Amino acid sequence: MTAPSETGTIPRLALAGVFGGLFCGYLGLSAAIPVLPAHVRDQFGAGDLAVGLAVTSTALTALLTRPIFGGLADRYGHRSVMRFGAVAVTAGGLLYFLPLGLVGLLAARLLAGIGEAALFTAGAVWTVTLAPHHRRGQMIGLYGVAMWGGISLGTALGAGIRPLGIDAVWAFCAVAPLVGLILISIVAPQPHAEPSKGGRGLLLRPAVLPGLGLALGAAGYVGLAAFVIRDLELRGIDSGVIVLSTFSAVYAGTRLVIGHLPDKLGPRRVASWCGAGEAAGLLIIAVAPNLPVAVLGAVVMGVGFSLLHPSLALMVMNNTESAKQGAAIGAYTSFWDLGLFVWGPATGAIAAGFGYPAVFVVAAGCALAASLLAMTIRQTVKAVDA
């Protein structure tokens, strides 16, 4: 079979299966999120700590297992690992039905996190192997759009289904990834190279610097999601949710319209611009005197933040031999989870000690650091899978 990178064509049906499988998996994962807080409190009489654990426990297992599943994808094939991820997410959804108490619910969430790690990581590298070499950065970006689309729609559907009963939500959590499994299964598997010896986990060398850049960039996202609405309310600015909605729309639109820039202009250059753009948007939000200025900040930040991940991911792929790209992208993505774990409490402490605008100023500094870090990363292009 001729590799896509050789023909220059995009295998649309294959990518539709991979993207559709990811999208459906995240539908099932995200549908539980809006119903979990009330369910944990009402069903188990638990408090905020248990609610937080129930919502975020998937991120813990995802953080720990992404590099593992990346390595397994290198060894056993992307489709096999991605299919396992869809099955694990389905199994997590089925466990919600069992009367196992709070501990059982947390176990179901941990299993869903394992499935998410396998699904996303294997699919990300599969996308790169399917894409023409000159479109790899763009395809990584569109893959992320499929993920965020699944998260957004899944959250909305979970809330919409809840009036039909909690079992209806759990059923959706189990059925949606099964549809994803079917879509993944109809795509022909790609040949994979035998992995060579080398680093593992977060310390896989080509992933470290881009991963640190991604973790630094995550500070702005965490600060915006957690505090922008409250911060604007205290300034007398209503409808802060418009700022978040604008950011989300620009984030997706940027990848759709100019997602090819990392391929065309080079990922290091685009990543450095993106870090600076994210920083500029955050500073605008920090000093915004009214809603239009805050929305402008969200636009600038959205454009910058949108292409930061695919640019850094492309650098990881370019600097990694083909037989280890799954492990590398898994390690790189784990830095995103690590960044969320760090910046969640850190931004809360900054807000408590210095006020909400300080959160955006500090996050802007982190984004600038990510920009500078990107400029130090050496660019090489390894052979891709044929």
Side-chain angles (χ1 to χ4, degrees), residues 116-155:
E116 188 270 342
L119 190 69
F120 179 88
T121 305
V125 186
W126 197 1
T127 296
V128 172
T129 65
L130 288 169
H133 188 271
H134 66 286
R135 301 284 293 275
R136 295 191 305 164
Q138 183 181 20
M139 292 301 107
I140 292 172
L142 293 178
Y143 184 77
V145 171
M147 179 193 74
W148 285 108
I151 292 173
S152 300
L153 183 58
T155 302

Side-chain angles (χ1 to χ4, degrees), residues 218-234 240 243-244 247 282 285 301 340 343-349 351 356 359-360:
Y221 171 77
V222 171
L224 187 77
F227 299 117
V228 69
I229 294 177
R230 179 58 179 161
D231 181 31
L232 294 179
E233 285 178 350
L234 293 178
V243 176
L244 279 177
F247 169 81
L282 286 163
I285 293 171
M301 179 188 172
L340 297 184
W343 291 117
T347 53
Y356 295 124
V359 171
F360 304 116

Side-chain angles (χ1 to χ4, degrees), residues 145 148 152 224 241-257 295 298-299 301-303 306:
V145 171
W148 285 108
S152 300
L224 187 77
V241 69
I242 294 176
V243 176
L244 279 177
S245 299
T246 299
F247 169 81
S248 299
V250 171
Y251 175 90
T254 298
R255 291 192 177 186
L256 292 172
V257 176
V295 169
V299 170
M301 179 188 172
V303 172
S306 178

Side-chain angles (χ1 to χ4, degrees), residues 78-97:
H78 314 109
R79 187 175 75 162
S80 297
V81 175
M82 203 175 182
R83 290 169 69 183
F84 169 82
V87 171
V89 176
T90 291
L94 293 174
L95 282 179
Y96 292 143
F97 285 102

Side-chain angles (χ1 to χ4, degrees), residues 10-24 82 126-127 130 139 142-143 146 179-180 182-187:
I10 296 177
R12 289 181 173 83
L13 290 178
L15 286 173
V18 177
F19 286 15
L22 182 79
F23 176 80
C24 291
M82 203 175 182
W126 197 1
T127 296
L130 288 169
M139 292 301 107
L142 293 178
Y143 184 77
V179 177
I182 294 171
L183 294 173
I184 295 164
S185 298
I186 64 176
V187 183

